[in-house]
Amino acid sequence: GVSSLELGPDVFECGNFGLLLLNGSSKRIVIRVLRKMVKVTMNRGAQSAGIVTYIRKGKSRSARAVRSRVVNGKRSDLSELVMAKFAHDMGGVVAGELRATAGFRAPQLFQGHTRFATSSVAGFAGGHPHRFTPPANQTHWAYDAAAASYVSHTVNVENFVTHNGDLEFFKLHGEMVPTSKLFGILHWILDHPPPATVDSMGVAGLLDLIRCKGLWIASVRY
């Protein structure tokens, strides 16, 4: 999201930002750092923003995602709006940051994006992060060295994308498929209608299509 220091503090390349919590002792500063990231990247786009937090509980082999999205008003501060929504979704309030960080555990990943609607309406459905198909429990196969064989586990599968750019067409079997037609193809293959028609949603659908490692049904479909 934010450019390197060599380019100077006033250069912004996109609205993407992210944070990987590796040390549980650092969780108290997560909200402060995320708020600063939103504050800086909203110079790239201040109409909507969102953060998805990947949470793993106990000894679970998979994570579930908590997505917090907002649309900015005319006189409101986008960074404060999205962080208030984030803290609420994580079980706390901005004024009581320690409550909101109670559920953080390392490693934990936070992924976000601030948006300016250049080619579509600045609505909630078009806000990042995008997810095409809803989460679902699926059978995942992986090699177990101790057992010297493949074993299966039921895991939660859901894909999110924060995509800064355009998707004007997609090449499929040598044919250039426009985005409008691609949405119809993805709807048919993934058996789910696109939640929004912004082009980044097409990228989210393609991610659902090509992510198939360990997922037998998804591999056959692909």
Side-chain angles (χ1 to χ4, degrees):
V2 186
S3 64
S4 61
L5 294 177
E6 305 87 67
L7 297 178
D10 299 323
V11 179
F12 305 96
E13 296 176 350
C14 69
N16 283 291
F17 61 90
L19 177 64
L20 176 61
L21 175 65
L22 292 175
N23 191 329
S25 63
S26 302
K27 67 182 184 180
R28 295 189 175 204
I29 67 171
V30 166
I31 291 182
R32 189 165 76 244
V33 173
L34 286 176
R35 181 185 287 113
K36 181 65 175 178
M37 286 180 170
V38 179
K39 194 80 172 178
V40 171
T41 57
M42 74 180 194
N43 286 279
R44 169 60 176 81
Q47 291 183 331
S48 65
I51 300 174
V52 58
T53 307
Y54 301 93
I55 300 174
R56 179 175 295 182
K57 289 190 174 182
K59 297 181 179 180
S60 174
R61 290 178 172 269
S62 64
R64 67 178 181 87
V66 177
R67 181 171 54 167
S68 308
R69 295 187 295 171
V70 297
V71 176
N72 203 7
K74 289 184 177 180
R75 295 178 179 84
S76 51
D77 186 309
L78 181 63
S79 64
E80 294 303 322
L81 284 178
V82 71
M83 291 313 301
K85 183 65 167 61
F86 167 80
H88 175 270
D89 293 342
M90 294 300 295
V93 293
V94 173
E97 292 185 354
L98 293 184
R99 286 181 56 199
T101 61
F104 296 170
R105 53 174 292 193
Q108 191 162 44
L109 180 65
F110 306 86
Q111 173 188 355
H113 195 292
T114 56
R115 177 174 183 259
F116 179 74
T118 54
S119 58
S120 60
V121 177
F124 183 80
H128 293 265
H130 293 302
R131 180 181 64 193
F132 197 101
T133 55
N137 288 326
Q138 297 185 30
T139 301
H140 181 268
W141 291 85
Y143 186 75
D144 188 325
S149 65
Y150 283 89
V151 295
S152 66
H153 299 277
T154 300
V155 300
N156 175 61
V157 177
E158 52 184 323
N159 300 314
F160 288 89
V161 61
T162 52
H163 168 249
N164 191 74
D166 297 324
L167 177 67
E168 297 180 350
F169 60 85
F170 184 75
K171 192 173 184 179
L172 184 64
H173 298 302
E175 177 188 354
M176 294 298 185
V177 180
T179 306
S180 57
K181 186 177 180 180
L182 176 63
F183 278 131
I185 294 173
L186 290 172
H187 184 178
W188 178 65
I189 296 176
L190 301 175
D191 194 27
H192 192 273
T197 56
V198 294
D199 55 0
S200 293
M201 188 61 71
V203 178
L206 290 170
L207 178 63
D208 284 341
L209 178 62
I210 67 176
R211 181 197 173 184
C212 54
K213 183 178 181 180
L215 303 173
W216 185 82
I217 294 178
S219 300
V220 172
R221 178 183 66 190
Y222 180 68

